């Protein structure tokens, strides 16, 4: 039997040496006892889904976090042995520049990791200090060089803008510096103040220090123009060399099923969304007791699922085939009239304005779905 239906797998490794003040992910301090506990729980969770996964074609595996590079590689190797991926599968591991060097990358290459995603955020000393990151600009560039010279060709970095006290000059220097590095992929983010973070609590002090909206737009426009000279923008915030577009993230944007393992991990499976308990003890206790580790489930109606898929797929710059998303034509017309969408040869794409106002585009698609289904 030929297996064609694709799936992506995500493993949440929640360990970090310290918590960054803007981070809203489920993160806990690293220690050996908790590493063993996580591994044992992942093994039990794998057994729950193994039979479904074996019927699918695994296209990508992603170890995210947290800081998966802090997880003992012997556990990652064992997890990969359960999946037994073929050579075409993209296998990404997230790492922080301060804990990656030639000695730590080599074992990862040996066990099959073929893509590293580094949380660089900035090459500006002051910005890194404000974000309370554990690395310096020098350490970040050294980490990238070490990963590249250890045989990993596919290297992604994250850069962040719209940060309190950040100046346009330092942002320009960061972007230019990043493009000199041997990277194949770059993700661009603006800082957001997420509830239950230290930055959120200190919003009243930090917000007045943010760049103005005109400056933030200038930062974004500069970065896009500059990065596009070297890498192709294939998604609103993602740029890649040809052939190095993230298979994992593309799967998410294209709406293919993905299964998430580990505390707080999300899954999207046959039209339903799930999230595991955001607590290692609760998550592993449930599995030990033979219960489900899922804390939250949502089954979307077929129409709502279609609208959500359309909103997510529109993030891709190649656009979407309208025939694949048979929704009320009024929705397309409304977005076209607002100047956010253009349609040509049956393909709908965001315009330049639509790229800037993506959140409003997505909101319109979801809200209009509710209005039309009333
Ligand atoms: S290193 Fe990453 S995952 Fe860990 S606390 Fe900082 S932002 Fe969050």
């Amino acid at each position: 039997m030929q297996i064609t239906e694709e799936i992506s797998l995500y493993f949440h490794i929640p360990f970090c040496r310290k918590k960054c003040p803007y981070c809203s992910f489920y993160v806990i301090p690293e220690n050996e006892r908790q590493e063993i506990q996580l591994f044992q729980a992942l093994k039990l969770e794998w057994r729950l889904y193994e039979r479904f996964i074996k019927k699918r074609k695994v296209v990508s595996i992603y170890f995210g976090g947290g800081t998966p590079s802090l997880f003992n590689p012997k556990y990652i190797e064992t997890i990969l042995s359960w999946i037994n991926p073929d050579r075409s599968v993209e296998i990404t591991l997230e790492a922080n520049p301060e804990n990656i060097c030639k000695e730590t990358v080599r074992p990862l290459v040996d066990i099959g990791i073929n893509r590293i995603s580094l949380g660089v955020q900035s090459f500006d000393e002051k910005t890194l200090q404000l974000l309370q990151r554990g690395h310096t600009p020098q350490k970040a560039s050294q980490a990238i060089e070490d990963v590249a010279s250890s045989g990993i060709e596919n290297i992604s970095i994250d850069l962040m803008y719209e940060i309190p006290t950040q100046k346009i000059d330092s942002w320009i220097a960061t972007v230019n510096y990043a493009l000199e590095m041997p990277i194949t992929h770059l993700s661009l983010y603006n800082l957001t103040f997420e509830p239950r973070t230290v930055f959120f609590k200190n919003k009243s002090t930090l917000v007045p220090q943010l760049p103005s909206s005109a400056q933030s737009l200038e930062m974004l426009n500069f970065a896009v123009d500059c990065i596009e000279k070297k890498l192709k923008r294939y998604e609103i915030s993602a740029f890649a060399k040809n052939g190095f577009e993230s298979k994992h993230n593309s799967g998410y944007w294209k709406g293919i099923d993905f299964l998430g393992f580990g505390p707080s991990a999300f899954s999207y499976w046959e039209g339903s969304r799930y999230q595991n308990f955001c607590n290692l003890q609760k998550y592993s206790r449930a599995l030990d007791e033979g219960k489900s580790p899922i804390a939250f489930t949502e089954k979307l109606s077929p129409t709502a699922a279609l609208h959500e898929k359309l909103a997510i797929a529109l993030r891709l710059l190649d656009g979407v085939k309208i025939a694949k998303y048979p929704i009320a034509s009024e929705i397309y017309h409304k977005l076209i009239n607002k100047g956010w969408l253009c349609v040509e040869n049956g393909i709908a794409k965001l315009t330049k304005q639509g790229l800037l106002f993506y959140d409003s585009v997505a909101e319109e698609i979801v809200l209009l779905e509710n209005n039309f289904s009333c």
Side-chain angles (χ1 to χ4, degrees):
M1 182 184 70
Q2 202 193 357
I3 300 172
T4 51
E5 213 173 339
E6 296 183 339
I7 186 170
S8 289
L9 305 177
Y10 174 84
F11 292 85
H12 189 75
I13 313 297
F15 307 118
C16 281
R17 294 250 155 97
K18 65 181 189 57
K19 180 118 186 183
C20 301
Y22 55 88
C23 177
S24 62
F25 296 132
Y26 173 62
V27 161
I28 51 174
E30 153 215 29
N31 71 48
E32 211 183 320
R33 187 183 54 78
Q34 297 199 125
E35 274 196 58
I36 296 169
Q37 187 181 14
L38 175 69
F39 175 72
Q40 298 297 353
L42 287 172
K43 189 154 68 177
L44 293 174
E45 195 181 11
W46 171 261
R47 287 190 191 140
L48 288 180
Y49 301 116
E50 188 177 11
R51 64 182 191 282
F52 303 113
I53 296 167
K54 296 286 177 204
K55 291 182 191 150
R56 299 289 191 103
K57 179 176 160 47
V58 175
V59 286
S60 66
I61 302 165
Y62 196 103
F63 294 92
T67 314
S69 53
L70 297 175
F71 199 37
N72 193 321
K74 73 178 180 198
Y75 296 134
I76 294 175
E77 184 176 21
T78 309
I79 292 170
L80 290 174
S81 75
W82 303 334
I83 307 165
N84 192 21
D86 66 42
R87 292 175 69 84
S88 67
V89 177
E90 178 187 274
I91 310 174
T92 305
L93 181 126
E94 285 182 352
N96 277 327
E98 66 268 32
N99 39 51
I100 203 100
C101 61
K102 281 183 187 161
E103 286 64 39
T104 48
V105 181
R106 273 194 208 110
L108 298 172
V109 176
D110 291 344
I111 62 175
I113 300 297
N114 53 31
R115 184 172 185 269
I116 296 270
S117 176
L118 282 164
V120 170
Q121 316 308 349
S122 175
F123 286 104
D124 177 66
E125 186 100 52
K126 280 194 184 140
T127 308
L128 288 171
Q129 282 168 3
L130 187 126
L131 295 173
Q132 296 176 33
R133 297 291 304 193
H135 62 271
T136 59
Q138 295 74 23
K139 181 65 193 125
S141 56
Q142 187 60 53
I144 298 171
E145 299 287 359
D146 283 351
V147 172
S149 65
S150 302
I152 300 263
E153 192 192 0
N154 197 351
I155 304 172
S156 179
I157 64 167
D158 294 345
L159 290 183
M160 199 190 279
Y161 69 101
E162 217 175 332
I163 299 167
T165 75
Q166 191 179 30
K167 299 279 176 285
I168 292 178
D169 287 354
S170 75
W171 173 243
I172 290 175
T174 280
V175 173
N176 284 331
Y177 194 85
L179 293 173
E180 296 303 314
M181 295 273 104
I183 57 168
T184 50
H185 190 278
L186 194 155
S187 298
L188 206 58
Y189 296 101
N190 59 329
L191 174 73
T192 53
F193 291 83
E194 300 295 331
R196 293 183 297 279
T197 62
V198 174
F199 270 19
F200 189 82
K201 280 192 207 118
N202 298 337
K203 237 176 142 179
S204 57
T205 320
L206 292 170
V207 168
Q209 300 180 61
L210 282 172
S212 66
S213 34
Q215 287 169 331
S216 298
L217 184 61
E218 196 180 333
M219 286 183 186
L220 174 64
N221 286 339
F222 169 80
V224 170
D225 289 347
C226 196
I227 300 167
E228 277 190 318
K229 288 181 189 139
K230 288 217 166 173
L231 306 172
K232 187 177 168 215
R233 189 182 193 188
Y234 69 101
E235 188 266 350
I236 290 179
S237 58
F239 302 77
K241 274 190 179 172
N242 274 339
F244 289 91
E245 297 84 1
S246 163
K247 285 187 194 172
H248 192 80
N249 292 346
S250 298
Y252 166 69
W253 294 316
K254 287 175 183 164
I256 76 163
D257 283 350
F258 62 90
L259 276 181
F261 295 81
S264 81
F266 281 98
S267 300
Y268 182 80
W269 180 261
E270 297 183 346
S272 293
R273 265 196 295 256
Y274 308 89
Q275 187 183 21
N276 284 346
F277 289 117
C278 296
N279 176 297
L280 176 60
Q281 310 308 327
K282 255 181 137 175
Y283 159 81
S284 71
R285 200 180 318 122
L287 286 158
D288 278 343
E289 292 171 358
K291 296 181 189 153
S292 163
I294 294 171
F296 157 88
T297 308
E298 186 181 22
K299 174 89 184 157
L300 297 174
S301 72
T303 319
L306 190 68
H307 281 244
E308 189 177 291
K309 277 190 175 186
L310 171 65
I312 295 172
L314 276 173
R315 294 186 64 94
L316 291 162
L317 270 78
D318 280 347
V320 301
K321 277 191 186 141
I322 286 192
K324 250 185 99 180
Y325 299 91
I327 60 169
S329 59
E330 288 87 337
I331 296 180
Y332 288 115
H333 289 144
K334 182 158 186 186
L335 294 171
I336 292 166
N337 289 339
K338 282 181 179 266
W340 292 342
L341 199 71
C342 60
V343 178
E344 218 176 300
N345 300 326
I347 307 280
K349 285 184 193 175
L350 293 180
T351 60
K352 229 175 168 184
Q353 282 296 99
L355 289 168
L356 279 178
F357 294 108
Y358 169 74
D359 287 347
S360 307
V361 173
E363 207 171 286
E364 287 285 355
I365 294 172
V366 176
L367 285 180
L368 279 168
E369 187 274 315
N370 291 338
N371 293 341
F372 280 108
S373 55
C374 284

